[in-house]
């Protein structure tokens, strides 16, 4: 069995071909798609976070709204750029959203991705410490966030507080029990996957990876997942970790599917991203029978316990619900995922 959810980048564009022409369109449709996905039997609704772009950026209002409208589906991010985050404020936001959702948040974090602006995190008031890179800063913010999520008291209470305090040092409120175990790290390299395992975070491995061996993307990604799980065992964590991969998968079942995505003979691509040689995974678009065979050969999909379907959100809620339903009903059962 695999958990299957969707991942939306939350694009909007004021063009006639887009169903999401404004930020409001994207936010409201994101909520509606999560509701529809839950009704279809999907397991997760995940959203990308990008600053300074016509895409979803501030995740917690959206996650809280989805939590209030749904009952079962996991609600998450893939991923929050920790270079931009105040870990203390984030603990409060995350705790509130998780409590509204009844403990269903699955938060993906990372050190960040290529940006729309130069050093955008500086505009948010953050800068690396002496000797740090911006990636180091992001990981430091993440470590602080993880420590705070444990719920231990750390702040000395005022001797004359406005309201009565419980005994001892105070923690941030509201505290969401169990959220610490539902934190994921978006990793592009083997080394950061090992670091995430040692930190006790679940692993999100996306549609690109540092090209460390020259092998096909799915082979490198599968090796990354196995190294992560080995590091997890060596760290001695008690629970079983979770691992997700993201894929663009379209089952061509009607004329609209074929018009949008037919003839897509996608393959791995290699490029330079943030001065790193990266391999970008292929997209899948084919008739269900062919799709099943192609996905059987994807080693990383086989290794992961969670699959996130990247959806073309600008095509609207109805079409994206159709994309999700096609995979759930015509592909996943044949692969033993459901």
């Amino acid at each position: 069995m695999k958990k299957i959810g969707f991942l939306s980048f939350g694009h909007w564009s004021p063009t006639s071909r887009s169903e999401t022409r404004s930020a409001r369109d994207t936010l409201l449709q994101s909520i509606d798609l999560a509701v529809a996905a839950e009704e279809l039997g999907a397991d997760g609704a995940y959203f990308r976070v990008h600053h300074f772009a016509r895409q979803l950026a501030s995740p917690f209002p959206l996650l809280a709204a989805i939590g209030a409208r749904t009952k079962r589906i996991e609600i998450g991010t893939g991923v929050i750029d920790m270079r931009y985050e105040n870990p203390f404020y984030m603990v409060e936001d995350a705790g509130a959203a998780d409590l509204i959702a009844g403990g269903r948040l699955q938060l993906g974090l990372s050190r960040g991705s290529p940006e729309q602006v130069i050093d955008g995190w500086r505009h948010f008031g953050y800068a690396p410490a002496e000797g740090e890179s911006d990636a180091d800063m992001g990981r430091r913010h993440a470590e602080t966030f993880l420590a705070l999520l444990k719920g231990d008291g750390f702040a000395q209470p005022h001797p004359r507080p406005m309201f009565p305090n419980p005994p001892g040092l105070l923690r941030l409120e509201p505290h969401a029990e169990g959220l610490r175990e539902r934190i994921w790290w978006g990793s592009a390299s083997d080394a950061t996957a090992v670091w995430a395992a040692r930190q006790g975070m679940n692993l999100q491995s996306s549609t690109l990876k540092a090209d460390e061996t020259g092998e096909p993307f799915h082979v490198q990604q599968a090796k990354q997942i196995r190294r992560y799980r080995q590091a997890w065992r060596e760290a001695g964590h008690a629970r079983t970790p979770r691992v997700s991969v993201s894929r663009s998968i379209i089952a061509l079942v009607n004329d609209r599917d074929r018009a949008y995505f037919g003839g897509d003979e996608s393959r791995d691509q290699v490029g330079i991203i943030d001065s790193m040689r990266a391999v970008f995974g292929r997209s899948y678009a084919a008739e269900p029978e062919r799709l099943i065979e192609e996905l059987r050969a994807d080693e990383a999909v086989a290794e992961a316990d969670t699959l996130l379907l990247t959806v073309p959100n600008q095509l609207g809620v109805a079409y994206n619900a159709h994309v999700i339903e096609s995979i759930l009903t015509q592909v996943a059962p044949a692969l033993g995922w459901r």
Side-chain angles (χ1 to χ4, degrees):
M1 295 287 290
K2 283 192 193 300
K3 289 185 179 291
I4 300 177
F6 72 84
L7 173 63
S8 173
F9 278 55
H11 295 278
W12 72 86
S13 175
T15 63
S16 60
R17 294 183 179 182
S18 175
E19 295 289 330
T20 53
R21 301 186 186 182
S22 68
R24 185 174 190 270
D25 288 343
T26 297
L27 288 163
L28 294 179
Q29 289 188 29
S30 295
I31 298 168
D32 289 344
L33 182 57
V35 171
E38 180 173 78
E39 292 172 351
L40 291 169
D43 301 298
Y46 288 72
F47 302 91
R48 192 67 168 88
V49 178
H50 275 123
H51 300 288
F52 297 103
R54 289 181 176 179
Q55 293 176 244
L56 294 170
S58 52
F60 293 109
L62 176 61
L63 299 178
I66 293 172
R69 287 278 306 277
T70 57
K71 298 183 182 301
R72 178 193 56 81
I73 198 168
E74 294 179 345
I75 310 162
T77 53
V79 287
I80 298 172
D81 187 336
M82 291 303 293
R83 295 174 298 179
Y84 285 78
E85 296 296 326
N86 177 323
F88 292 79
Y89 203 103
M90 186 175 169
V91 164
E92 295 181 342
D93 280 349
D98 193 46
L99 291 172
I100 290 170
R104 288 182 284 132
L105 254 59
Q106 302 282 342
L107 294 181
L109 319 177
S110 86
R111 68 90 176 171
S113 60
E115 299 194 83
Q116 295 295 105
V117 301
I118 297 170
D119 294 349
W121 27 270
R122 292 190 186 276
H123 296 286
F124 280 56
Y126 303 113
E130 186 175 353
E132 271 191 332
S133 68
D134 60 303
D136 294 332
M137 178 179 67
R139 285 187 282 270
R140 173 167 53 83
H141 286 182
E143 289 171 345
T144 301
F145 178 67
L146 293 173
L148 293 170
L149 281 178
K150 294 178 183 177
D152 298 332
F154 64 91
Q156 188 69 39
H158 196 282
R160 295 181 298 280
M162 181 177 293
F163 308 106
N165 280 324
L169 300 176
L170 301 184
R171 67 185 183 188
L172 293 170
E173 302 287 356
H175 174 66
E177 193 68 39
L179 181 56
R180 171 62 179 82
E181 295 187 352
R182 288 178 272 118
I183 305 302
W184 306 59
W185 188 257
S187 175
S189 69
D190 290 0
T192 53
V194 168
W195 176 82
R198 292 170 178 163
Q199 296 293 324
M201 288 186 279
N202 303 307
L203 178 67
Q204 284 185 345
S205 194
S206 188
T207 52
L208 68 87
K209 186 187 176 298
D211 187 9
E212 299 180 82
T213 66
E215 295 171 291
F217 168 75
H218 72 100
V219 174
Q220 293 197 52
Q221 192 175 45
K223 288 182 176 180
Q224 179 198 46
I225 293 169
R226 289 191 284 270
R227 288 182 180 127
Y228 164 81
R229 289 189 172 129
Q230 179 182 352
W232 184 278
R233 290 190 294 270
E234 291 171 353
H237 301 304
R239 67 180 178 89
T240 301
R242 288 180 61 184
V243 175
S244 74
V245 296
S246 303
R247 292 290 186 274
S248 175
I249 306 173
I250 304 292
L252 305 181
V253 300
N254 61 31
D255 290 341
R256 191 179 185 191
D257 298 330
R258 296 182 189 97
Y260 282 136
F261 301 104
D264 180 8
E265 295 295 332
S266 175
R267 63 187 64 188
D268 289 357
Q269 301 290 327
V270 175
I272 304 298
I273 183 168
D274 271 0
S275 302
M276 174 186 76
R277 178 182 167 89
V279 55
F280 299 77
R282 56 164 295 188
S283 298
Y284 293 93
E287 307 292 332
E289 295 79 10
R290 180 181 167 194
L291 204 53
I292 289 163
E293 293 306 311
E294 291 178 341
L295 289 168
R296 278 200 178 108
D298 190 313
E299 293 185 20
V301 170
E303 285 282 349
D305 57 77
T306 301
L307 173 64
L308 301 182
L309 305 170
T310 59
V311 294
N313 78 282
Q314 287 184 280
L315 295 180
V317 174
Y319 185 74
N320 281 285
H322 157 73
V323 168
I324 295 167
E325 183 178 26
S326 298
I327 301 303
L328 291 176
T329 60
Q330 300 197 45
V331 176
L335 290 164
W337 295 348
R338 308 298 280 175

